[in-house]
């Protein structure tokens, strides 16, 4: 049984920082991909970043590159998203998701955590 539980969302002013956490159970083998997506009101869900559990290789969407950092802690079975220099357009519900390497579709999702960037 795979479970993903996000936390760390909240309200922050533009230019501020937040760190999101995703505790993972049932899927921590090296071949799995862990990712963060986000969905703003009235918009489609979009990719933010991913990390390979084993190799720790990462990839980012252009609109967060240089501001967000994805990482994972094997000992804690946790994936993080450090978000710096936040902008109002980063306001969204952020979701943690996972898929097998070589498979396109993400098959497990967390419940989401709200991030609001506003002055």
């Amino acid at each position: 049984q795979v479970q993903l539980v996000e936390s760390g969302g909240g309200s922050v002013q533009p230019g501020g920082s937040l760190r999101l956490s995703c505790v993972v159970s049932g899927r921590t083998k090296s071949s799995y991909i862990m990712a963060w997506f986000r969905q703003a009101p009235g918009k489609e869900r979009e990719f933010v970043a991913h990390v390979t559990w084993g190799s720790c290789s990462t990839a980012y969407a252009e609109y967060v590159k240089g501001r967000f950092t994805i990482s994972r802690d094997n000992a804690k079975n946790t994936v993080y998203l450090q978000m710096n220099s936040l902008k109002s357009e980063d306001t969204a519900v952020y979701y943690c998701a996972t898929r097998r390497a070589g498979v396109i579709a993400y098959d497990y999702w967390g419940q989401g955590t709200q991030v609001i960037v506003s002055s």
Side-chain angles (χ1 to χ4, degrees):
Q1 181 75 9
V2 178
Q3 288 189 320
L4 308 176
V5 180
E6 303 104 328
S7 63
S11 295
V12 64
Q13 293 186 340
S17 298
L18 282 175
R19 188 177 79 159
L20 306 183
S21 300
C22 174
V23 179
V24 184
S25 59
R27 181 167 285 185
T28 54
K29 293 183 179 180
S30 62
S31 59
Y32 291 129
I33 308 295
M34 300 300 306
W36 288 96
F37 286 77
R38 69 186 185 185
Q39 187 168 20
K43 295 187 177 181
E44 293 190 353
R45 188 174 297 183
E46 63 182 11
F47 171 78
V48 174
H50 79 225
V51 61
T52 302
W53 196 267
S55 69
C56 209
S57 63
T58 59
Y60 296 90
E62 281 299 320
Y63 36 82
V64 304
K65 199 173 290 185
R67 300 188 298 122
F68 291 11
T69 302
I70 189 170
S71 62
R72 82 312 181 235
D73 185 327
N74 284 345
K76 295 182 178 180
N77 289 347
T78 301
V79 178
Y80 301 100
L81 186 68
Q82 177 66 44
M83 306 186 295
N84 299 327
S85 302
L86 283 161
K87 306 175 181 180
S88 58
E89 51 263 43
D90 295 318
T91 295
V93 177
Y94 284 72
Y95 298 89
C96 181
T98 181
R99 63 174 170 87
R100 300 175 188 271
V103 175
I104 296 175
Y106 286 83
D107 51 353
Y108 290 95
W109 295 80
Q111 81 286 353
T113 185
Q114 176 76 59
V115 171
I116 298 173
V117 184
S118 174
S119 55

